[in-house]
Amino acid sequence: MRTRRALPAVTAAALLLAAAVPAAAQPTDPERLELTLLATTDVHGHVYDWDYFRDQPFPEGSGLGLTRLSTIIGEIRTEKGPESVLLVDNGDTIQGTPLTYYYGIGDGAEAVLDGEVQHPMATAFNYLGYDVQSVGNHEYNYDLPLLAAYERDIDFPLLGANVIDVDTGEPYHQPYALIDREIGDEEVTVGVIGMVTPGVRVWDRSFVEGELEFRDLVETAEQWVPVVAEQADVVVVVTHTGHGTVPDEGYDRSALHENALGNVARMVPGIDVVVAGHSHQDRPEEIVTNTAGEQVLITQPMFWAQSVTETTLNLVPDGDGWAVDWSEGFAPTAVAHYARDAEEDQALRDLLAEEHTATVAYVNTPVAESVTELRADTAHYEDTPIIDFINHVQQSTVEQFLADRGELGDATVVSQASPFSRSAVFPQGEVSIRDIAGLYIYDNWLLGVRLTGAQVRDYLEFSARYYADLEEGEEFDPEVHTNAVRGDRAIPDYAYDVLSGVEYYIDVSQPVGERITGLSYPDGTPVEDDDEFVLAINNYRQSGGQGYPHVVDAEVVYDERVEIRQLLIEWAQERGVIDPADFFVENWWLIDEPLPEPEPTPEPTQEPTTQEPTTQEPTTDPTGDATTPPAGGGPGGGALPSTGAPVGGLVGAAVLAVLAGAAALAQRRRLTM
């Protein structure tokens, strides 16, 4: 049984709101109080209902943003009374839109770091009167000084109980907050514990390694829940992690699971409500029973400020404090209120109008003219020029750097890129920063790591997991056979990599781990296991994002801390023209049946005879028999044009030479959608 040891922790913003808005009357029953918990998560910089990449509001019916949620929050506070309402956020706030980029790492960042400008997300959250926030993994994307500047600007505690300062061994952020509320004539204390997925140690390793440690979520909850329960009537855990699928039995704390919210709720007694996040799911209410037989409510709001969840808790006397009532008819409930159903709060729009205008002006800056429209809508299943644009810039940047220093040696530079957005388009004509930002939506920077040929093959095999397993005789369908479910989740597009600098086929008719065939250099020479490569790679992938093999431990030979998006912008600005002829090289293909084995060379049946050299000129008749295979790998002269459906076609003889040294052309089916 919990008893309350109240500590004053009401924020200034909440006090102002309480003074400004008349409180609604609580129920007259002196034996029961009502407490409302409002929660958001994964806002990712979406203050406005504005798509910076399309330079217009989001489509009708899909409205989002804090300006809309502000209207909902205000209505609930008016209805319930501000003193009986708490507002919490579950992290991933200061990264995700050009607005947060501009003030996080772009031209506006220096003013935020110097304290000359308040971080726009701090301005928005202060206006909304948040009581507390947990850190999310993306809070660390712009390094610790920027996070510190944001924390300086907010009027409420930023929590992170499992984030440990390496030097002191103590929590780097405040582990929990105690928030007092006066409901009617009664005082209620709510204890909020904040945690973040331990994956930060991987994804932002370059910023946190040697500075911060990230401990297991269950272990951390076991440490802090009893501490908070001794002081609070209601215990809320706001943890930036997904539900997860790891079973409670044999739960391994040393594994530092990315998603373990379900384990926390079930394995740690004393929690009343858990606010989930990170996995970008819309799950307003779920009830679980923990190991002590207590019921726990889990609520997860929708990402990008698309919803705020309202959890209603009825409290009954418990010793000298209060406890959550789980009796029939009074048990906690949670519902979602969607931004699309609300009007925007003009006062919040006006509050950040200057920052919004500066961001819009930045993203609409022209950088080049594109000679043709380039689209990414098929990039997840076929080689496309717009992804080759990324790979070309990355590959040439690393290659030039190493060559200038004489450090390239015998290594071949290759590059990885992912189809981050299926809606990305470079229009024919003027291309702006927002078009490039719409293609490369993450704030990654470029590295180069050394790999062997065998490791490159392993890397590609891992990437090919993205395609689902085909039944025998089944043809590939991109609507069905992409985003394969492996383990507990579907593989997202951003976890699928394609490489430039080598040629290869992905045979989706084969099992995972045996899909890469015909791996060769552009001239058709097969890649050997001990060949030397340098892979141009983004920092998220190199630090372990999505678990690609070899790259975390590989020797880093390029790390100039240059943003990939900025490299793309500068490449386009320097040339003034974006022409696929400058960078598009079709070098990978999907196939849904194995490449044919070449026929073995027949044994000679007679003694060789000496033959006079021929004086015949080589034929130029395209219908004549080929006496010499075309140079280079890939489909070569035998490829058929894309028709939008699987077609039969010829493969250049060099492909067969890559596979078995044959010189005859062969038939195979190639996937062209």
Side-chain angles (χ1 to χ4, degrees):
M1 179 180 296
R2 293 191 292 273
T3 57
R4 177 168 51 82
R5 309 275 196 282
L7 295 178
V10 180
T11 65
L15 288 173
L16 289 172
L17 284 166
V21 183
Q26 278 287 324
T28 57
D29 183 356
E31 295 300 305
R32 183 172 282 106
L33 303 176
E34 184 180 287
L35 177 71
T36 300
L37 177 71
L38 301 179
T40 57
T41 191
D42 296 276
V43 171
H44 283 291
H46 287 85
V47 175
Y48 291 87
D49 183 9
W50 191 262
D51 186 343
Y52 291 97
F53 300 139
R54 296 168 61 242
D55 198 25
Q56 62 187 29
F58 285 92
E60 187 175 350
S62 61
L64 52 80
L66 293 176
T67 54
R68 292 183 183 274
L69 293 188
S70 178
T71 301
I72 297 170
I73 292 166
E75 290 173 350
I76 294 173
R77 282 193 174 120
T78 299
E79 176 190 353
K80 300 293 183 69
E83 270 292 279
S84 66
V85 177
L86 269 70
L87 178 60
V88 304
D89 181 77
N90 198 12
D92 276 9
T93 300
I94 63 173
Q95 178 276 340
T97 63
L99 174 69
T100 50
Y101 169 84
Y102 187 82
Y103 290 97
I105 198 172
D107 293 345
E110 186 174 352
V112 171
L113 289 167
D114 292 343
E116 298 172 6
V117 172
Q118 188 174 69
H119 194 289
M121 297 309 298
T123 302
F125 271 38
N126 289 341
Y127 171 86
L128 287 164
Y130 276 86
D131 292 289
V132 71
Q133 179 184 13
S134 177
V135 287
N137 55 287
H138 283 287
E139 259 65 75
Y140 301 89
N141 284 174
Y142 300 138
D143 208 350
L144 299 181
L146 194 281
L147 178 55
Y150 170 75
E151 187 169 9
R152 175 200 65 212
D153 289 344
I154 57 178
D155 297 335
F156 47 86
L158 184 66
L159 307 181
N162 67 320
V163 184
I164 306 302
D165 188 317
V166 170
D167 291 336
T168 67
E170 299 296 325
Y172 180 77
H173 305 285
Q174 186 173 323
Y176 67 91
L178 297 172
I179 303 170
D180 278 357
R181 284 289 193 261
E182 188 171 329
I183 304 176
D185 295 329
E186 302 293 337
E187 192 171 283
V188 175
T189 300
V190 181
V192 183
I193 301 168
M195 300 189 294
V196 64
T197 173
V200 178
R201 76 195 189 285
V202 175
W203 307 318
D204 281 305
R205 182 179 57 180
S206 61
F207 294 143
V208 302
E209 190 171 40
E211 302 285 340
L212 305 177
E213 293 178 355
F214 294 82
R215 293 183 178 170
D216 174 68
L217 297 171
V218 171
E219 179 182 89
T220 302
E222 289 173 337
Q223 175 185 357
W224 290 106
V225 167
V227 174
V228 173
E230 279 293 313
Q231 306 173 76
D233 301 295
V234 180
V235 177
V236 178
V237 173
V238 182
T239 178
H240 192 85
T241 183
H243 284 65
T245 60
V246 179
D248 295 341
E249 287 188 12
Y251 180 89
D252 183 3
R253 288 161 170 77
S254 66
L256 296 177
H257 298 289
E258 174 186 353
N259 294 303
L261 178 136
N263 306 100
V264 170
R266 294 186 299 267
M267 296 174 65
V268 184
I271 302 171
D272 295 302
V273 179
V274 179
V275 180
H278 184 57
S279 59
H280 286 210
Q281 297 179 357
D282 184 19
R283 301 176 69 168
E285 180 187 279
E286 180 182 351
I287 308 294
V288 300
T289 302
N290 66 25
T291 55
E294 303 165 336
Q295 290 180 290
V296 183
L297 186 144
I298 301 173
T299 184
Q300 181 166 355
M302 205 168 179
F303 63 98
W304 289 10
Q306 292 183 80
S307 81
V308 56
T309 59
E310 177 188 4
T311 300
T312 302
L313 302 170
N314 289 294
L315 309 181
V316 291
D318 181 32
D320 63 350
W322 298 86
V324 175
D325 187 356
W326 280 94
S327 65
E328 186 175 355
F330 295 99
T333 60
V335 296
H337 299 279
Y338 294 97
R340 61 177 179 263
D341 299 326
E343 297 296 323
E344 290 191 87
D345 179 349
Q346 188 60 44
L348 179 53
R349 286 182 57 86
D350 294 344
L351 189 62
L352 286 172
E354 183 176 340
E355 290 86 347
H356 174 65
T357 300
T359 304
V360 170
Y362 166 73
V363 298
N364 283 300
T365 303
V367 294
E369 295 281 326
S370 180
V371 301
T372 187
E373 182 183 73
L374 302 178
R375 305 182 62 87
D377 52 345
T378 64
H380 56 298
Y381 62 86
E382 69 177 358
D383 199 351
T384 56
I386 200 167
I387 301 300
D388 272 15
F389 170 63
I390 300 171
N391 267 331
H392 173 77
V393 173
Q394 293 180 164
Q395 183 177 348
S396 58
T397 298
V398 173
E399 191 170 49
Q400 188 64 54
F401 175 88
L402 296 176
D404 288 347
R405 287 156 179 76
E407 298 172 2
L408 184 58
D410 295 329
T412 298
V413 178
V414 295
S415 177
Q416 63 81 217
S418 305
F420 291 147
S421 171
R422 297 187 187 185
S423 62
V425 178
F426 287 179
Q428 183 175 4
E430 184 178 276
V431 174
S432 64
I433 286 176
R434 67 179 169 87
D435 298 316
I436 294 179
L439 170 66
Y440 207 98
I441 62 177
Y442 296 111
D443 304 326
N444 297 330
W445 68 85
L446 184 63
L447 296 99
V449 297
R450 286 197 181 274
L451 298 179
T452 65
Q455 291 172 332
V456 169
R457 181 183 294 277
D458 288 346
Y459 192 99
L460 288 170
E461 289 285 8
F462 188 88
S463 180
R465 299 164 60 253
Y466 170 82
Y467 298 109
D469 304 314
L470 272 64
E471 300 293 333
E472 185 175 352
E474 185 179 13
E475 292 189 357
F476 177 84
D477 180 351
E479 296 297 322
V480 176
H481 297 121
T482 56
N483 305 111
V485 176
R486 307 288 179 192
D488 63 343
R489 61 189 296 187
I491 299 175
D493 291 355
Y494 65 77
Y496 171 62
D497 284 4
V498 299
L499 297 192
S500 67
V502 288
E503 296 188 349
Y504 58 96
Y505 295 90
I506 306 172
D507 185 354
V508 291
S509 71
Q510 299 302 304
V512 170
E514 302 176 19
R515 291 180 164 181
I516 301 303
T517 187
L519 180 59
S520 67
Y521 294 93
D523 66 358
T525 303
V527 170
E528 302 294 342
D529 285 353
D530 58 355
D531 287 352
E532 296 181 16
F533 289 90
V534 171
L535 174 64
I537 186 171
N538 69 60
N539 67 294
Y540 170 76
R541 189 70 82 237
Q542 186 273 335
S543 64
Q546 299 302 315
Y548 273 74
H550 308 304
V551 292
V552 171
D553 299 322
E555 178 190 359
V556 176
V557 295
Y558 173 88
D559 185 5
E560 295 295 287
R561 294 300 174 95
V562 179
E563 278 187 279
I564 294 171
R565 185 192 294 125
Q566 191 60 34
L567 285 172
L568 301 177
I569 292 169
E570 291 174 0
W571 188 96
Q573 285 176 326
E574 289 172 3
R575 288 155 182 78
V577 175
I578 298 176
D579 186 347
D582 295 332
F583 51 78
F584 178 49
V585 178
E586 192 177 14
N587 69 291
W588 66 270
W589 302 267
L590 283 182
I591 55 176
D592 61 4
E593 63 181 30
L595 292 172
E597 292 290 337
E599 295 183 6
T601 303
E603 294 291 332
T605 57
Q606 60 184 29
E607 292 294 322
T609 58
T610 303
Q611 184 175 357
E612 292 294 324
T614 179
T615 57
Q616 181 181 355
E617 293 293 325
T619 178
T620 58
D621 181 1
T623 63
D625 292 336
T627 57
T628 305
L640 293 181
S642 176
T643 61
V647 296
L650 296 175
V651 180
V655 173
L656 300 183
V658 167
L659 297 174
L665 294 174
Q667 296 288 330
R668 63 104 170 112
R669 183 167 40 164
R670 172 181 157 205
L671 304 184
T672 53
M673 281 53 176

